[in-house]
Amino acid sequence: MSVNINEFFSAFANDQKFFLNLPVLWSVTIDGVTQGSINSVLSEAGEKWQAKTSAQSMTKGGNILVAQSVVLPTEGSTFDPYPSGSSMGGFLPGYGHANRQNFLNDRQVSVNFLETEVDIEHNFFRPWAIALGIKGLVEDGVSLKGTMEVRQYSNAGVFIKGYRFNKIFPTAVEGYTLDYADTDFKIKSVTFACENYQQI
C-alpha cells in the first residue's frame, strides 16, 4: 500500500494528534515510602546516612522530581524446542513457551532525573537504597516500597500520557562525575524494580 506523501505532511502539519510537545519532560511523584521509614532503618543500624527530604516534599509546588527520560520495563519470555530430546525425523521442532523472564531482569524502570538546587540523589535516593540493603524486602514492620507515577504534559499543560509503577524500590543509584563542564543540569540516574505497572 503506497502512502500519499502530500496527505501525510498535510496531516502532520495541521492535525493536533501529530504535534510534537517540547520540551519532552516527565513529572515524577513517589508515594508510600517516607523519609521517616528510611531514617528509622538507618538509625537502628547505626548508619550515618539520613534522608534529608521526602519524595512528597520534592513534588509539592516546585515539581523538583522531573525526568528527562524514563525506560519502561521489558516484557520477556523464554522458549524451548518442543518436543525436546526426541528425533523429529528430519522435521524442525516446534517451540513452546518455557517461562516469563525473572522479576529483576524484566521489571526494571530506569529514570534520569534532572536535578536543580536540591541534591535529590544524596538527600533521598541513596539513603533509600542503603536502607534497603540493611532491611531487605521480606522483613515486616517498615515499608520501603512505594508507588511512582510519571506523567507527560503538552506545552499547554494538558496531560498526554502517564504510567503508575506499583511497589517500587531502587536497585541501583548510578554514580556521576562532578566537573566544570558546560552543562545546565546535572542528571541523576536511578534504576527501580517494580511489582507491576499500568497506564494512567
Side-chain angles (χ1 to χ4, degrees):
M1 178 177 151
S2 62
V3 175
N4 185 314
I5 298 299
N6 290 330
E7 286 183 7
F8 170 77
F9 283 117
S10 177
F12 203 89
N14 297 299
D15 192 332
Q16 190 169 5
K17 71 182 178 183
F18 290 106
F19 287 178
L20 300 177
N21 294 285
L22 299 174
V24 183
L25 297 177
W26 298 82
S27 72
V28 182
T29 57
I30 298 175
D31 292 308
V33 62
T34 65
Q35 180 182 0
S37 64
I38 292 170
N39 287 343
S40 67
V41 171
L42 296 173
S43 297
E44 185 181 328
E47 179 63 56
K48 299 299 183 185
W49 282 93
Q50 291 285 291
K52 296 178 182 176
T53 187
S54 67
Q56 291 83 358
S57 67
M58 287 190 286
T59 56
K60 285 181 180 175
N63 279 328
I64 295 172
L65 287 184
V66 177
Q68 183 185 50
S69 64
V70 179
V71 180
L72 298 177
T74 299
E75 180 62 47
S77 298
T78 57
F79 297 85
D80 291 332
Y82 181 83
S84 60
S86 62
S87 173
M88 295 289 294
F91 291 98
L92 292 173
Y95 286 87
H97 184 271
N99 61 283
R100 291 176 72 179
Q101 292 178 4
N102 80 47
F103 175 80
L104 284 179
N105 286 345
D106 283 347
R107 301 293 175 151
Q108 291 195 13
V109 185
S110 297
V111 182
N112 288 334
F113 292 98
L114 289 177
E115 184 175 89
T116 52
E117 293 181 359
V118 177
D119 189 345
I120 59 174
E121 193 260 349
H122 287 96
N123 285 0
F124 184 72
F125 291 113
R126 191 171 292 262
W128 184 7
I130 293 170
L132 277 162
I134 295 168
K135 197 74 171 179
L137 296 170
V138 295
E139 195 170 333
D140 292 332
V142 177
S143 175
L144 293 175
K145 294 181 183 178
T147 300
M148 180 171 68
E149 289 187 0
V150 297
R151 295 171 178 261
Q152 187 184 43
Y153 296 87
S154 71
N155 292 334
V158 177
F159 173 75
I160 300 175
K161 57 188 170 186
Y163 305 92
R164 179 181 295 111
F165 303 91
N166 300 308
K167 295 187 178 179
I168 64 155
F169 54 93
T171 58
V173 179
E174 292 184 18
Y176 51 93
T177 301
L178 299 174
D179 56 27
Y180 289 100
D182 186 18
T183 54
D184 294 329
F185 295 100
K186 180 62 68 179
I187 297 172
K188 302 293 180 64
S189 300
V190 182
T191 301
F192 301 89
C194 67
E195 182 176 285
N196 55 58
Y197 82 100
Q198 64 208 76
Q199 287 183 293
I200 299 173

